[in-house]
Amino acid sequence: MEKPDRPLISILAYTAAFDWPLTLAEIAEQLLPAASLSDIAARLDALVADGTARSSMGLYAHESVPVDAFMRRIRCEKETAQKWRRMRRAAWWLQAVPYVRALLASGSLAVGDADADSDWDVFVVAKGGRLYSARIFLLAAAWLMRRLRTKHDATAPDKFCFNHYVTTDGLVIRHRSLYTARGIASLLPLLDPHGYLGKLRQANPWVAEYVTGDSGSQFVRRQVRPSLVLNTIRTTLEMLLETPIGGRFESLMRRWQQRRIEREPATHASGGRVVADDRTLEFHPRSFEAVVLVRYNTLMARHGLGEFSERDSGLTV
């Protein structure tokens, strides 16, 4: 009996959890070990021929993905492009926020499957020792622009959702899985003048066990246009805060925010993860990770590859 093409089936099974078809180039950049496009195309055609995959409009997906997902992808790409333009205009002002070192697009905007109701998921890199100050300033700036998603919003189209923060001295991601690896690999720079996306990937070489570390980055260049005025404002504010007063403010913000996070019922709900320490703030109380990995493992088992099932990254039980 011919062995299943595990690398390709793994990629298609994972994206099937999102009902998301892929281009040949997108599959190639995720494939480990790398192969030529002609070889990958031939292997995909073989999976289509035996009913494991389906293809339409130059896209490929697992056979469990509905046919209308191919047209949905085309619609989502148009919506994603429009949202990127709006997000860039809003994020331009965030260059003035003290202690923010990078803003990296994540979620639906990073992979291109945003719809009309999608918010703007953002991964934040903050200056070490000023994590909680950076967060409060960032939230205040987005709120003033009326672009901040809050816990009361069922949907928040075209609003910032800052759901993961790390510090410049805390770039190593502790919670590891196929899901988190692909999340890191899909990050795209929105505001990153000092190259922290590259530093983040260098600090997490384990991502390469699942997928190439710069997935998608060679195809998209959508960073915010630098502003000398806004960067001067940020630098000046940071200079004013680099005093004992700034240190006390950080200490106060840390205690206040950690207390609020601890008291929030969603922090302790099962099926997600909320972290609040000195180097990480992570807000995924209702993570999609468990759903994705259950479907992924089910499809892998269907193809006789159950031994390659994946565990989650340590969600709240």
Side-chain angles (χ1 to χ4, degrees):
M1 181 177 179
E2 187 175 352
K3 293 177 62 176
D5 192 332
R6 181 172 71 88
L8 285 183
I9 292 176
S10 175
I11 293 170
L12 297 179
Y14 184 83
T15 53
F18 303 88
D19 286 335
W20 191 247
L22 298 172
T23 66
L24 178 61
E26 289 168 340
I27 293 171
E29 71 182 9
Q30 297 183 38
L31 196 60
L32 296 174
S36 66
L37 289 180
S38 59
D39 174 61
I40 297 170
R43 290 160 60 187
L44 285 167
D45 289 341
L47 292 179
V48 172
D50 69 18
T52 300
R54 61 178 57 187
S55 178
S56 178
M57 297 182 288
L59 301 169
Y60 296 89
H62 188 271
E63 57 84 16
S64 64
V65 173
V67 176
D68 62 3
F70 292 88
M71 187 55 68
R72 172 180 166 268
R73 162 146 190 180
I74 303 302
R75 294 194 301 270
C76 285
E77 287 185 341
K78 180 179 178 180
E79 184 68 42
T80 298
Q82 294 172 346
K83 283 183 175 289
W84 263 99
R85 286 194 291 271
R86 293 192 288 270
M87 181 174 64
R88 284 181 64 196
R89 287 197 295 269
W92 185 79
W93 294 98
L94 300 181
Q95 296 177 78
V97 177
Y99 302 128
V100 170
R101 294 297 180 260
L103 299 176
L104 310 173
S106 61
S108 60
L109 279 170
V111 298
D113 69 345
D115 58 28
D117 290 331
S118 296
D119 58 12
W120 301 333
D121 289 318
V122 178
F123 185 107
V124 182
V125 180
K127 180 182 178 181
R130 290 292 187 265
L131 174 60
Y132 292 88
S133 298
R135 178 174 183 249
I136 201 68
F137 291 138
L138 193 57
L139 296 180
W143 180 80
L144 287 171
M145 291 189 292
R146 299 183 180 180
R147 292 289 191 182
L148 178 65
R149 178 167 192 166
T150 72
K151 64 181 181 180
H152 305 294
D153 294 321
T155 60
D158 295 348
K159 290 186 176 182
F160 287 109
C161 179
F162 305 109
N163 52 29
H164 201 150
Y165 299 72
V166 298
T167 58
T168 53
D169 58 354
L171 298 176
V172 176
I173 304 299
R174 301 191 306 270
H175 298 100
R176 303 175 181 183
S177 70
L178 172 64
Y179 183 86
T180 55
R182 288 189 178 275
I184 294 171
S186 68
L187 291 173
L188 293 174
L190 175 62
L191 175 63
D192 188 17
H194 305 293
Y196 273 102
L197 177 54
K199 297 175 184 178
L200 178 71
R201 287 171 172 158
Q202 290 174 4
N204 294 279
W206 60 270
V207 170
E209 298 173 12
Y210 299 95
V211 62
T212 53
D214 58 352
S215 178
S217 62
Q218 64 267 46
F219 300 110
V220 181
R221 292 290 185 270
R222 291 170 171 167
Q223 291 199 55
V224 168
R225 176 173 50 84
S227 166
L228 178 60
V229 172
L230 293 177
N231 277 285
T232 300
I233 292 173
R234 175 186 55 77
T235 302
T236 302
L237 291 172
E238 290 183 7
M239 289 176 61
L240 294 174
L241 289 167
E242 284 304 307
T243 63
I245 293 176
R248 287 196 290 271
F249 181 76
E250 171 66 18
S251 180
L252 176 64
M253 288 297 100
R254 180 173 64 251
R255 290 197 301 271
W256 177 62
Q257 291 179 50
Q258 287 182 342
R259 190 180 304 118
R260 285 176 57 88
I261 293 167
E262 178 63 26
R263 291 176 178 175
E264 177 61 44
T267 298
H268 309 285
S270 61
R273 182 173 55 250
V274 175
V275 178
D277 58 35
D278 288 343
R279 295 185 176 183
T280 302
L281 281 165
E282 183 180 356
F283 302 99
H284 296 108
R286 292 172 293 277
S287 176
F288 195 45
E289 179 175 359
V291 175
V292 170
L293 292 184
V294 165
R295 185 168 181 185
Y296 172 83
N297 290 338
T298 299
L299 293 179
M300 292 293 282
R302 181 190 300 180
H303 296 290
L305 297 169
E307 63 186 290
F308 299 104
S309 62
E310 295 286 344
R311 298 179 179 179
D312 68 51
S313 58
L315 302 178
T316 304
V317 178

